[in-house]
Amino acid sequence: MKKRILTGDRPTGKLHLGHYCGSLQHRVRLQDEYDQFVMLADVQALTDNFKTPEVVRQNILEVALDYLAVGIDFSKSTVFIQSMIPELFELTVYFLNLVSMGRLQQNPTVKTELESKSFKHGIPAGFMCYPVSQAADITLFLGELVPVGEDQHPMIEQTNELVKRFNTIYKTDVLKKAKALTDENDFGRIQGIDGKGKMSKSMNNFISLSEDTDTLRKKVRKMFTDPGHLNIEDPGKVEGNMVFYFLDLFGKDKATIEAMKEHYKRGGLADSVCKEYLFEVLEEMIAPFRERRALYAQDPAAILLLLDQGTKRAQEVAKETMYKIRRAMKINYNEPLVQAIAKP
Ligand code: TRP
């Protein structure tokens, strides 16, 4: 039997290069070897978008298109919608008994996110508890491997704490420990084009996987370089220069890039020349995504049908695990009542 992978994304916007490096490229590679489940985490997206559910709804299709564009094959990977799996909510509630408030407040990913968000009416409990809901996501599908970016590692740590507590308290081995799958070539979470921090939608420093040619060129031209490189003849800095950072990440012709770096450091190489080269490198990578995306976008109904099929498959797996979970917890009243109470 193939090992199960469980992974997912919040449908809050089109996916960007950060998603590609952190996880999408791995998922494409892994879908042959593993039984891969990919969740459109709309419930998690609602924890900070509860006032605009239509945004989440619309982005379900956008993210599905991004998946297809980069090569996630819906006949190999089970792609499904989180809110369509009620067992997830059930398991989340049981898990909430096994985690302390203090532990929730210590989750580093949540802490970082809270810094960049301003909740006007206090922090919603649903937001604080989303790591528990994510633990349910992973464990309900018996996900043993989770290909996600580095920022998600604390989530997996917290998931495993819950698995251990659950299995110990209820004397069972139904839940499986999960492992973050980070590639050896992984760069962690990649930087944004502004040179100020990680690439993210909220920082508006991203390059999306479906960027059109003009916008891509504009974004590359706006990229943070060396502010001290005022004249072409001046020696320039390569460290912290986002053009060279992205060339290192995505450029294939390493010799040319090294030569450009030397030239830039010596002086005499214009930012505009480096940027045009980077634009070409990125365009070569993104153009096939863009074309495939456009093709699939012509028939949204077909994609919704694929999602429906994936969701049905996910529902079956969810039911099966939940049956075992309820047994382990001795709350298996879903089995014929008499039988359940007579022999828990
Ligand atoms: N938290 C993930 C993100 O923000 C999305 C997600 C939800 C997820 N459930 C998951 C990722 C389960 C991996 C496994 O991108």
Side-chain angles (χ1 to χ4, degrees):
M1 265 226 331
K2 286 183 180 173
K3 269 198 182 169
R4 172 88 36 83
I5 283 181
L6 187 289
T7 178
D9 297 284
R10 296 181 190 190
T12 53
K14 291 180 179 170
L15 301 183
H16 53 63
L17 288 179
H19 296 108
Y20 187 72
C21 291
S23 57
L24 291 176
Q25 59 171 347
H26 305 317
R27 298 181 196 172
V28 174
R29 182 170 48 80
L30 295 166
Q31 62 187 346
D32 292 309
E33 223 180 300
Y34 294 90
D35 185 16
Q36 177 163 265
F37 278 54
V38 185
M39 167 187 290
L40 291 160
D42 62 331
V43 178
Q44 191 176 110
L46 285 171
T47 62
D48 59 344
N49 289 275
F50 51 88
K51 285 187 187 154
T52 50
E54 65 283 357
V55 172
V56 177
R57 182 192 180 98
Q58 185 194 339
N59 280 305
I60 284 189
L61 189 64
E62 298 293 350
V63 173
L65 281 169
D66 284 330
Y67 286 167
L68 290 161
V70 299
I72 291 182
D73 180 338
F74 284 33
S75 68
K76 293 179 185 163
S77 296
T78 302
V79 184
F80 68 101
I81 300 176
Q82 185 182 26
S83 60
M84 293 298 289
I85 316 290
E87 286 84 357
L88 285 173
F89 312 144
E90 190 180 343
L91 184 55
T92 302
V93 172
Y94 302 147
F95 273 171
L96 282 170
N97 296 326
L98 311 183
V99 65
S100 71
M101 300 287 277
R103 177 65 181 93
L104 287 171
Q105 282 157 356
Q106 279 159 19
N107 186 302
T109 309
V110 172
K111 271 191 180 166
T112 317
E113 278 173 303
L114 281 176
E115 278 165 24
S116 66
K117 282 188 193 350
S118 56
F119 288 114
K120 286 201 191 71
H121 304 281
I123 304 166
F127 184 82
M128 277 319 282
C129 296
Y130 95 71
V132 178
S133 144
Q134 186 157 334
D137 298 344
I138 296 169
T139 52
L140 184 65
F141 294 98
L142 307 178
E144 291 184 67
L145 292 167
V146 189
V148 279
E150 208 180 27
D151 61 309
Q152 293 293 308
H153 288 191
M155 297 295 165
I156 295 170
E157 204 179 306
Q158 200 163 0
T159 299
N160 285 333
E161 288 169 25
L162 282 162
V163 167
K164 195 163 166 225
R165 276 212 90 193
F166 185 97
N167 285 349
T168 309
I169 291 174
Y170 301 114
K171 299 186 183 56
T172 174
D173 60 359
V174 54
L175 300 186
K176 302 282 171 258
K177 267 195 142 185
K179 218 176 114 213
L181 203 127
T182 313
D183 200 77
E184 67 213 65
N185 307 318
D186 230 338
F187 303 93
R189 193 129 162 240
I190 69 168
Q191 298 290 311
I193 60 172
D194 56 1
K196 285 189 190 143
K198 310 282 182 196
M199 183 175 286
S200 78
K201 185 168 105 56
S202 54
M203 292 293 289
N204 197 19
N205 61 1
F206 62 90
I207 291 178
S208 81
L209 294 168
S210 50
E211 218 69 84
D212 65 67
T213 309
D214 284 347
T215 316
L216 179 62
R217 190 176 255 123
K218 274 193 202 119
K219 287 194 174 182
V220 173
R221 285 192 181 154
K222 258 188 17 200
M223 235 176 230
F224 180 82
T225 58
D226 171 10
H229 189 239
L230 296 174
N231 305 302
I232 297 179
E233 315 79 63
D234 294 343
K237 263 202 253 149
V238 164
E239 304 81 48
N241 184 324
M242 300 323 286
V243 172
F244 290 105
Y245 171 79
F246 283 103
L247 279 176
D248 278 338
L249 277 183
F250 300 111
K252 293 204 182 78
D253 184 353
K254 300 297 175 202
T256 300
I257 295 168
E258 284 315 307
M260 280 178 86
K261 281 184 186 170
E262 286 313 312
H263 193 176
Y264 193 81
K265 283 197 267 192
R266 250 188 348 259
L269 183 58
D271 274 16
S272 59
V273 174
C274 307
K275 284 179 169 173
E276 186 57 24
Y277 182 63
L278 174 62
F279 163 75
E280 282 163 18
V281 164
L282 291 177
E283 173 67 8
E284 192 185 319
M285 173 175 152
I286 287 178
F289 297 162
R290 196 191 294 134
E291 279 158 31
R292 229 174 312 161
R293 197 180 201 281
L295 212 64
Y296 283 111
Q298 286 174 2
D299 193 357
I303 294 161
L304 296 178
L305 206 66
L306 289 174
L307 286 178
D308 192 51
Q309 285 164 2
T311 300
K312 289 206 172 95
R313 163 125 205 266
Q315 282 167 343
E316 279 165 31
V317 175
K319 277 208 190 81
E320 217 178 286
T321 320
M322 190 44 83
Y323 187 88
K324 292 181 192 155
I325 288 171
R326 284 178 148 259
R327 281 219 129 178
M329 293 179 71
K330 305 195 197 317
I331 55 166
N332 50 328
Y333 314 118
N334 53 332
E335 295 174 38
L337 192 57
V338 182
Q339 197 186 320
I341 290 181
K343 38 177 182 127

